[in-house]
Amino acid sequence: MDKFERNYIDGEWVTPSSTRTINVLNPSTLESIATVPDSDASDIDRAVAAARAAQPAWERLPAIVRAGHIRAVANKLREHKTRLARRISLEQGKILPLAEVEIDFTANYMDYMAEWARRIEGEILNSDRPGETIYLHRRPIGVVAGILPWNFPFFLIARKMAPALVAGNTIVIKSSEETPLNAFDFTELLAECGLPKGVFNLVSGGRDTGARLAEHKDVGLISFTGSVGTGMRIMEAASRNLTRVNLELGGKAPAIVLDDADLDLTANALFNSRVLNTGQVCNAAERVYVQRAVAQPLAERLTRLMSEARYGNPLTDSALHMGPLMNQTAVNKIAGLVDAARQQGAQVLTGGRIADRPGFHYEPTVLASCSDDMAVMTQEIFGPVLPLRVVDELDEALALANDSEFGLTSSVFTRNLNLAMKATRELRFGETYVNREHFEAMQGFHAGRRKSGIGGADGKHGLYEYMETQVVYLQTP
Ligand code: NAD
């Protein structure tokens, strides 16, 4: 069993003051693969102090120099892609090709954010006074706290650190207690790239460690990705210091399938949503509203695809569609949702049971005849289960889709441009996909409405979340 004993603070690997540790499991075999520090308040204090001390000098560097550091780390990650991908598969259960995509996407994302160095703009405004010019600067906020979930743990480090650092902030990353090892790998490689001390800090720990970071008075922005419940607790903690929050939370994405849709394309896109990362993707389609005339042929296609989906241990089986779920809690939650739906009258077209094999597996499942009062239609499933609900017309589907506490992503499948446009106008979600799978681009803006979050990530608008505005009134004689 490997041991990862230290945090990375102020450019050094330091022994935590906490002696508590967290045991990390391989979700495919349930074997212990490592122990990591469960850091305490003084470890967080030390990391935030280092980030705070490093920030003014980092901000004074030209943005293009900061960008050079980010690019150097991106290139280093590319050199170690195979090893990094295997670690993600080992601790998170992703299939290897997807883990490799995660490494590529991480490095490309860092390059993309680095490109903004020469493009961050302020404004010059006319004054009402003679001899005065008004400047509007975009300035860094200070210390950013990045608190991570486990589903795309490696990419999410970059999604927080790259915009934070190019903007002139420093950062403290708190990895997920489920998948901490890849964050050590990221940091080990970053440590070889010569960033100034204290600009990037990693603290390993669980929810108490995260809570301490969220309530820290010297943190200027909490950038959090995770569940709605934790997002609410973080906002409460942030309120004590009026710290800014950027919250990327859960989803319950509706997919609307109209009777003129290309059904093969639609079925493949929906299948992809439920098997990509074993359905553990916040923006993937989680509930389908299908027009009556095509309900049967769509259900047949999905049943075939899901019943033929191959799953297992991504490090020993090749050619898989998906690996295991993250933990036993996820398996139990999914089993509870499906069992309750079945009792309420849902028809199990395929799957519907905990898989009888090693690892945290649930059978790929399609549920027909679902109704709006079923928890499987309202709560985040985060697994390989797809509930179908028949509708008669687009307006009905739009009303049902919008009637959700979540508002992250949505989709519509139709060949009718007028109906597609109507749907995009009326869907109250941060993102809408038309005739394609649910997955965002780095130049877009990934942002949830309602309980799916506050603020967003990616693109220009995501970068500007890591900056605040200073106005200068310059009076000259
Ligand atoms: P989680 O909320 O359980 O944990 C996320 C992180 O928060 C962990 O690092 C955890 O230690 C920390 N944490 C827990 N309690 C805390 C507290 N009180 N204060 C501060 N930190 C605390 O989420 P998870 O199970 O790791 O991730 C899955 C969830 O993430 C799903 O709901 C998914 O939809 C969501 N997610 C959203 C997006 C998005 O972009 N919107 C992306 C990925 C995942």
Side-chain angles (χ1 to χ4, degrees):
M1 189 162 80
D2 289 332
K3 271 198 159 182
F4 297 78
E5 292 173 327
R6 290 178 294 170
N7 292 318
Y8 185 75
I9 298 176
D10 207 18
E12 309 284 341
W13 289 100
V14 296
T15 304
S17 103
S18 165
T19 51
R20 286 181 311 177
T21 56
I22 296 170
N23 191 23
V24 185
L25 287 188
N26 174 344
S28 298
T29 62
L30 315 196
E31 287 162 359
S32 287
I33 47 174
T35 55
V36 297
D38 188 7
S39 303
D40 64 19
S42 59
D43 299 314
I44 286 291
D45 291 348
R46 190 170 175 181
V48 173
R52 188 171 179 220
Q55 196 274 327
W58 178 248
E59 176 180 353
R60 279 196 295 273
L61 288 176
I64 198 68
V65 175
R66 296 198 296 267
H69 284 293
I70 295 169
R71 284 201 182 92
V73 180
N75 287 334
K76 182 69 85 176
L77 302 181
R78 288 189 181 97
E79 286 169 26
H80 295 267
K81 173 169 151 179
T82 308
R83 173 168 72 84
L84 294 170
R86 287 188 71 80
R87 179 89 83 189
I88 294 178
S89 287
L90 176 74
E91 67 175 331
Q92 196 261 305
K94 238 179 215 101
I95 58 171
L96 272 171
L98 182 60
E100 289 185 358
V101 168
E102 183 167 351
I103 307 298
D104 286 338
F105 200 81
T106 301
N108 294 343
Y109 192 92
M110 291 169 74
D111 280 348
Y112 167 76
M113 277 297 166
E115 282 171 21
W116 279 98
R118 289 197 176 96
R119 297 189 170 89
I120 295 168
E121 292 176 349
E123 291 167 34
I124 301 173
L125 307 173
N126 285 331
S127 171
D128 298 346
R129 297 185 179 189
E132 182 172 86
T133 308
I134 304 176
Y135 295 91
L136 198 146
H137 285 237
R138 288 209 164 83
R139 306 285 306 269
I141 296 169
V143 175
V144 173
I147 302 179
L148 307 182
W150 47 260
N151 64 340
F152 287 92
F154 197 80
F155 165 59
L156 283 157
I157 302 173
R159 202 186 223 174
K160 299 187 186 308
M161 75 80 92
L165 265 51
V166 78
N169 304 283
T170 52
I171 195 162
V172 177
I173 291 282
K174 205 291 281 174
S175 47
S176 165
E177 58 272 46
E178 301 278 2
T179 55
L181 306 186
N182 67 87
F184 284 102
D185 292 338
F186 184 104
T187 307
E188 263 169 21
L189 293 171
L190 174 141
E192 294 174 17
C193 294
L195 265 77
K197 290 178 174 194
V199 167
F200 179 96
N201 306 275
L202 172 71
V203 180
S204 160
R207 65 175 63 166
D208 292 347
T209 318
R212 176 64 188 173
L213 189 52
E215 70 186 11
H216 203 293
K217 68 176 177 35
D218 291 332
V219 166
L221 169 72
I222 305 162
S223 176
F224 170 71
T225 305
S227 62
V228 173
T230 306
M232 288 174 169
R233 281 187 283 281
I234 284 180
M235 202 164 163
E236 236 177 271
S239 73
R240 283 173 230 145
N241 300 304
L242 291 180
T243 309
R244 287 166 184 252
V245 291
N246 177 287
L247 304 177
E248 303 287 327
L249 309 178
K252 182 70 189 171
I256 298 176
V257 185
L258 299 184
D259 56 15
D260 67 340
D262 177 333
L263 290 187
D264 289 328
L265 178 153
T266 306
N268 278 319
L270 297 177
F271 171 66
N272 187 275
S273 261
R274 293 333 307 150
V275 298
L276 187 81
N277 207 23
T278 322
Q280 302 167 118
V281 185
C282 58
N283 51 0
E286 283 234 346
R287 51 190 170 123
V288 177
Y289 300 101
V290 53
Q291 237 176 335
R292 194 171 300 279
V294 291
Q296 182 68 20
L298 180 71
E300 282 165 11
R301 283 168 171 78
L302 286 167
T303 302
R304 184 173 45 75
L305 288 167
M306 290 288 268
S307 61
E308 290 172 2
R310 289 182 302 277
Y311 56 99
N313 179 345
L315 290 180
T316 57
D317 304 341
S318 55
L320 297 177
H321 291 98
M322 58 186 188
L325 292 157
M326 188 65 250
N327 49 36
Q328 189 62 45
T329 311
V331 176
N332 295 345
K333 178 183 176 186
I334 293 164
L337 288 171
V338 173
D339 290 348
R342 189 192 272 126
Q343 277 163 23
Q344 286 173 273
Q347 198 191 342
V348 180
L349 299 183
T350 183
R353 281 178 312 195
I354 296 173
D356 184 17
R357 61 176 74 185
F360 298 126
H361 292 284
Y362 194 86
E363 292 178 348
T365 299
V366 180
L367 299 175
S369 310
C370 291
S371 55
D372 309 319
D373 54 346
M374 293 178 183
V376 79
M377 290 294 287
T378 57
Q379 291 180 20
E380 196 176 39
I381 303 170
F382 237 50
V385 173
L386 189 62
L388 309 178
R389 199 287 196 197
V390 174
V391 292
D392 287 305
E393 53 183 40
L394 177 58
D395 282 330
E396 182 189 3
L398 290 170
L400 292 169
N402 286 333
D403 184 17
S404 170
E405 61 178 359
F406 297 100
L408 192 56
T409 81
S410 54
S411 65
V412 59
F413 295 85
T414 175
R415 291 185 171 98
N416 183 322
L417 187 58
N418 291 342
L419 296 181
M421 287 303 292
K422 175 182 162 71
T424 61
R425 276 195 303 271
E426 295 187 19
L427 282 165
R428 307 273 178 250
F429 291 80
E431 270 164 50
T432 299
Y433 307 98
V434 182
N435 294 325
R436 56 158 281 187
E437 82 283 11
H438 288 222
F439 212 77
E440 71 270 29
M442 63 183 79
Q443 64 271 39
F445 185 56
H446 179 61
R449 297 191 186 177
R450 301 185 287 283
K451 285 189 183 162
S452 289
I454 294 180
D458 311 337
K460 178 171 79 174
H461 302 289
L463 172 65
Y464 284 173
E465 300 256 325
Y466 289 82
M467 311 192 84
E468 57 195 4
T469 304
Q470 178 190 18
V471 184
V472 177
Y473 297 89
L474 182 70
Q475 187 89 54
T476 49

